[in-house]
Amino acid sequence: MSAPPPAPTPTPARTAGPPAGPSREPYAPGELPPGPRAPAAVQTVAFHRDPLGTLQRARDRYGDLVTVRLLLAGTLVECCDPQDARRVLDADPGTGQAGRARQGLLGMVSERSVLGGDGAAHREARARVAAAFVPAALEGLAPRVAALAAEHAASWPTGRPTRLLPRVRALCDDVFVRLVLGVEDPGRARALAGAVQRMLWTPGNPPTPVPGQQAGPLVQAAARAAFAQRSAAARRLLADEVRARRAAGRAGGGAVGALLADDALGVGDAVDQLLPLTMAGQEPPAAGLAWVLERSSRLPALDAGLRGSAPGGAWWRAAVSEVLRVRPPVHTAARVLVRDLPLASRTLPAGVVAAAPIVLLHRDPRAWEAPEEVRPERFLRDGRHVVDEVPAAAYLPFGGGARRCLGEPLTWLLADAALPAVLARIRVAPALARAERQVVRGTVLVPHRGALSVLHPA
């Protein structure tokens, strides 16, 4: 099939949010914007079952600054105006701390890691592994990623209902362990990929949330003990990889090799930094790929366009970008404010956890025309894939500011190499009549039935 014809020039999006200007007086100490009055447990269940609908209703009732209270993540101020959200994410580290916010939401990430660190700790952790995630380091892996994807897709069952999400997660685990971490020993790579899957599995529908640091001490203690038990195998295998490379007198390749270039880094410290990296390295990309397959199964034009266009080309990337808009893998980016932050209408005081609700911003009608529709042409200009000409304040699939996602190039590697290898072998048909809603799993948004589908040979 030939590539789809060039899309027409899209209608410019409406201006997102009010123009920047002097803020009004700050909230008084202890005062927060209005928000739902339901108990935190009720708000938590509602948010995890339907994050988009819950936030839309709260914004419509209370305005662009909404205080929500979640049982395990604590109190957050949702900044629903796109320009305000951008101010939160662009705040310098001396004003807003992303590591503390992530620890508050997840509670299981080390403050010495890329995810959980702030200031010098974050800069040092990021600098150690950044070389493994730049496009130049990842582009050469494309043939091996495609081969692994083809191997996985060939084993997926056809002709009966199956959940796509866990199968795509297993694929992303394999890619991350073998190619991104650079684990060459086949036995250890296989065992580590399996250990990561078991470590991150959560029961329930929607999945049981991970307690953040705002949870009570008993809940925190129980959660930490459970996570220590479930992560023990992954920690042991990562430590074995580090010791094996050190014993061989070589740092080796991948993110492990980049980390071990620091000779002073102990085994325990290395594992503390590798474990959160491994968690973040497969969860959002796996959710993103699963959503692309789920959306294409329900939208024939999207499926035909992906199958008829060049992987990695302008239309292909525009289509993936648009799916990441309507089904973002991550629901929120947050900062703990250590200084007052002026916004368009009020100033948020230090101590507040300010959140950019990505899942809501991606559907904001002030920024997107017909936001519910899937229109890849939003990301096309003169036959080019662009993201810098869309409403940047309302498009945040990889976050923003100094903490923009380190794994963004990895997501595009998987989209350009793994996705076409899967589509070359299977066709996806939805197993359910109604589209699956987004539910919360940690900070990730996943299909509430795991993208239940029936697969057929391509």
Side-chain angles (χ1 to χ4, degrees), residues 249-272:
R250 64 181 185 87
V256 176
L259 196 66
L260 295 186
D262 182 352
D263 294 331
L265 199 65
V267 174
D269 287 341
V271 172
D272 280 345

Side-chain angles (χ1 to χ4, degrees), residues 134-292:
V134 297
L138 294 173
E139 286 167 357
L141 300 176
R144 297 174 66 189
V145 171
L148 278 175
E151 180 182 332
H152 276 258
S155 71
W156 294 353
T158 57
R160 60 180 176 84
T162 187
R163 299 182 192 275
L164 271 177
L165 179 62
R167 300 187 183 281
V168 175
R169 285 182 61 213
L171 164 59
C172 291
D173 284 337
D174 211 7
V175 168
F176 195 86
V177 168
R178 293 175 185 270
L179 305 183
V180 181
L181 292 183
V183 178
E184 297 179 355
D185 180 89
R188 186 179 298 133
R190 187 166 51 252
L192 181 54
V196 170
Q197 291 175 47
R198 292 188 294 274
M199 176 180 68
L200 296 177
W201 179 83
T202 52
N205 183 32
T208 304
V210 179
Q213 289 187 344
Q214 303 298 321
L218 293 179
V219 173
Q220 270 291 301
R224 289 186 180 278
F227 183 74
Q229 181 179 19
R230 290 174 58 173
S231 63
R235 293 185 67 90
R236 174 179 55 78
L237 290 161
L238 286 169
D240 288 347
E241 179 69 15
V242 170
R243 292 191 186 99
R245 295 197 193 195
R246 286 259 169 89
R250 64 181 185 87
V256 176
L259 196 66
L260 295 186
D262 182 352
D263 294 331
L265 199 65
V267 174
D269 287 341
V271 172
D272 280 345
Q273 297 193 30
L274 286 169
L275 196 66
L277 193 68
T278 302
M279 294 163 64
Q282 62 87 15
E283 283 279 272
L289 289 189
W291 279 122
V292 173

Side-chain angles (χ1 to χ4, degrees), residues 99-100 103 108-129 213 235 259 262 264-277 403:
R100 279 180 62 193
Q103 291 178 49
M108 303 299 176
V109 293
S110 168
E111 65 275 7
R112 295 173 292 181
S113 68
V114 172
L115 270 72
D118 283 305
H122 170 259
R123 290 193 297 273
E124 291 170 5
R126 187 170 181 125
R128 288 190 183 104
V129 297
Q213 289 187 344
R235 293 185 67 90
L259 196 66
D262 182 352
L265 199 65
V267 174
D269 287 341
V271 172
D272 280 345
Q273 297 193 30
L274 286 169
L275 196 66
L277 193 68
R403 299 298 289 257

Side-chain angles (χ1 to χ4, degrees), residues 18-24 81 83-84 87 342-346:
S23 62
R24 298 177 185 172
D81 177 87
Q83 301 297 341
D84 280 350
R87 289 185 183 97
L343 299 179
S345 60
R346 295 288 291 269

